[in-house]
Amino acid sequence: MSELRFPDNFLWGAATAAYQIEGAAREDGRGPSIWDTFSRTPGKVHQGQTGDVACDHYHRYAEDVALMAELGLRAYRFSIAWPRVQPDGTGPVNPRGLDFYDRLVDALLERGIDPIVTLYHWDLPQTLGDRGGWTNRETAEHFATYATAAYARLGDRVDVWTTLNEPWCSAYLGYGSGVHAPGEQDAAAAFTAVHHLLLGHGLAARALRAAGARTVGITLNPADVRPADESSAADAAAVRLVDGLHNRIFLDPLLAGGYPEDVLEHLSRIVEPTFVRDGDEKLIAAPIDLLGINYYQPTYVAGRPDGGGGGGAYPGTDGAVEFLPPVGPLTDMGWMVEPAGLTRLLERIATDYPGVPLLITENGAAYPDKAGADSPDGPGQVADTDRIAYLEGHLRAAHEAISRGVDLRGYLVWSLLDNFEWAEGYRRRFGIVHVNYLTQRRTPKASARWYQEVISRNGL
Ligand code: FCB
């Protein structure tokens, strides 16, 4: 294959999230989050695993930053745990919680790595969860207060501030299918949460700007929704419905001024959207400087009156849509590998919502890697050629989008480290660095060395 070069200043990096790596769940005044509660609820997470210790990054951040520097990362996306900053979600700021991020940011800057902050990667303070979580409008207001506190401490050194990670998951998996915290199964609650998450973004973005933030954005996981049969009108209608529920319900209010009519009509059959108040849409639509895109696999759908729909994650699609099972070869998550989906998605967003720079804030794959003495690849070796193939395919797809004119600023691999993969616990390994959870030993996989090369050559 031909050599590919990425634009100068293309931002190469890696991403993680607080609850997935930090551990130290009760240290330095951190309050409980809905994920602490959820992971302790029997049957919710694989083998009852929790983020109590995770990768112990809270104590090992210096070692982890040294590793990032060794790999040549230019950017590192991490999330701040709201319950470290405000243990109850409201009220006084806990300075010891912010001290950790202060140390982390300084360590990154010393190594020339740009910090990219996510303010919310799903670990809502439990006290706010008890008051209805994202179904309560007040949560959006509290989120802006928390954002202001985080900015006040780190804004002098952190340039890039993103509000939410994948509000689709927070709303539909948290309140619709119940696969994520807080584990509710209530379609009306899911739609209510969608709006309050977007409102939280809008309020926080406004507060960050008022405080002086230069680059403000949000990360979504838009789906590349495809028809089972390109020539079927029924399948095209299914694509339109699913695209509305997954993509346009977020993208339109953020980047096109308000909710799409067809989506409002659909959700009105489930809940009267009285939670959308005058002025909300204007606030949510305030311009952003960056849109983060997380992409893993495409979504194939067919229009069928007997279709089972997407369950709680796609309220109201039963009896209208069939979600096709992914076809192999699959990753260890059971996800499809289709790099062309990334090109399509980036182009579509750039076309339909022009003018916003894009950043791939997550892309990567889980494979069942083993390191250590018993590694099939030799002691202490992880020859993850399947991950390298996944990453290479998706980088080529990203490059293709750039060559078609998409303003793509960078690529952050998910993830730096193997970590707590939510409901799947520790059994799914997404890291380019292997973590032995008994010893906390980090072992860069072959993919880490490969990525290091890609970064140093600025291409493939
Ligand atoms: C995304 C999440 C991230 C990680 C990857 C695999 O949905 O943002 O935390 O779990 O999936």
Side-chain angles (χ1 to χ4, degrees):
M1 277 191 241
S2 59
E3 277 191 30
L4 294 184
R5 283 197 38 99
F6 282 77
D8 292 343
N9 299 320
F10 193 72
L11 208 55
W12 295 102
T16 63
Y19 190 70
Q20 295 180 277
I21 65 164
E22 286 178 0
R26 289 178 197 78
E27 248 167 273
D28 295 333
R30 176 187 177 279
S33 81
I34 57 172
W35 267 96
D36 293 293
T37 308
F38 189 73
S39 60
R40 277 186 178 62
T41 310
K44 298 298 186 191
V45 173
H46 174 67
Q47 291 183 348
Q49 293 166 344
T50 73
D52 282 1
V53 179
C55 305
D56 196 32
H57 172 76
Y58 192 78
H59 301 114
R60 293 168 197 264
Y61 74 92
E63 180 193 340
D64 293 338
V65 173
L67 197 54
M68 295 178 215
E70 187 188 318
L71 297 178
L73 302 193
R74 300 207 15 228
Y76 174 56
R77 171 181 182 245
F78 62 94
S79 78
I80 297 179
W82 184 351
R84 286 197 196 283
V85 177
Q86 283 178 300
D88 286 328
T90 61
V93 168
N94 169 36
R96 286 181 301 163
L98 279 168
D99 287 348
F100 169 67
Y101 300 104
D102 213 73
R103 293 192 291 274
L104 174 62
V105 165
D106 284 345
L108 291 167
L109 293 175
E110 262 168 43
R111 305 280 192 157
I113 302 168
D114 291 349
I116 297 179
V117 161
T118 301
L119 282 161
Y120 184 72
H121 202 125
W122 309 350
D123 42 1
L124 187 72
Q126 183 58 50
T127 314
L128 296 182
D130 294 341
R131 294 188 217 151
W134 289 106
T135 66
N136 184 341
R137 188 177 171 95
E138 284 174 9
T139 298
E141 285 153 22
H142 296 315
F143 179 61
T145 308
Y146 148 66
T148 308
Y151 186 84
R153 185 68 176 275
L154 304 170
D156 58 335
R157 282 154 296 149
V158 175
D159 285 337
V160 183
W161 290 81
T162 62
T163 53
L164 308 172
N165 175 70
E166 302 189 356
W168 181 86
C169 293
S170 300
Y172 291 101
L173 303 185
Y175 297 89
S177 73
V179 171
H180 282 183
E184 278 180 40
Q185 295 181 321
D186 174 348
F191 287 131
T192 311
V194 165
H195 182 66
H196 291 153
L197 282 152
L198 284 169
L199 182 64
H201 157 80
L203 290 166
R206 186 175 70 182
L208 290 166
R209 281 209 198 286
R214 282 186 294 275
T215 307
V216 178
I218 182 171
T219 281
L220 303 178
N221 61 323
D224 170 51
V225 191
R226 306 290 303 162
D229 175 353
E230 300 265 357
S231 62
S232 153
D235 292 2
V239 167
R240 175 99 183 137
L241 176 58
V242 172
D243 180 61
L245 290 175
H246 196 124
N247 297 328
R248 290 179 292 113
I249 196 171
F250 294 104
L251 288 163
D252 280 24
L254 286 165
L255 300 168
Y259 289 105
E261 274 311 315
D262 61 314
V263 174
L264 279 181
E265 201 184 299
H266 178 86
L267 74 86
S268 299
R269 282 182 237 139
I270 293 165
V271 57
E272 195 48 51
T274 50
F275 43 78
V276 184
R277 298 200 191 152
D278 279 357
D280 288 359
E281 283 171 298
K282 186 154 184 265
L283 183 74
I284 295 164
I288 51 175
D289 311 297
L290 189 70
L291 178 65
I293 305 287
N294 295 352
Y295 173 81
Y296 291 93
Q297 63 164 350
T299 304
Y300 280 85
V301 297
R304 298 207 210 300
D306 58 349
Y314 293 92
T317 56
D318 47 313
V321 180
E322 184 186 330
F323 284 74
L324 275 66
V327 287
L330 306 180
T331 72
D332 203 30
M333 292 291 279
W335 292 351
M336 259 173 97
V337 180
E338 193 166 299
L342 177 60
T343 314
R344 289 191 297 257
L345 187 64
L346 292 170
E347 261 200 295
R348 184 271 172 111
I349 291 173
T351 306
D352 289 359
Y353 307 93
V356 198
L358 306 179
L359 176 67
I360 295 173
T361 35
E362 284 180 30
N363 174 246
Y367 290 105
D369 311 308
K370 287 195 177 62
D374 63 341
S375 164
D377 308 319
Q381 301 291 313
V382 187
D384 55 340
T385 46
D386 34 19
R387 180 172 294 100
I388 293 174
Y390 181 99
L391 297 177
E392 169 156 11
H394 286 78
L395 284 176
R396 287 187 181 276
H399 191 278
E400 178 63 25
I402 295 171
S403 67
R404 293 187 199 173
V406 173
D407 182 7
L408 179 67
R409 301 291 172 94
Y411 176 92
L412 310 178
V413 66
W414 184 271
S415 179
L416 177 70
L417 303 171
D418 289 339
N419 59 51
F420 176 81
E421 177 46 39
W422 309 112
E424 298 292 331
Y426 295 96
R427 68 174 154 171
R428 306 292 182 225
R429 294 181 174 272
F430 273 94
I432 55 171
V433 174
H434 181 277
V435 176
N436 176 324
Y437 296 112
L438 297 175
T439 61
Q440 291 297 344
R441 188 189 162 96
R442 276 78 164 132
T443 305
K445 303 176 190 177
S447 58
R449 298 303 174 199
W450 172 86
Y451 193 46
Q452 181 176 8
E453 265 294 305
V454 170
I455 297 173
S456 75
R457 289 162 48 185
N458 195 35
L460 293 160

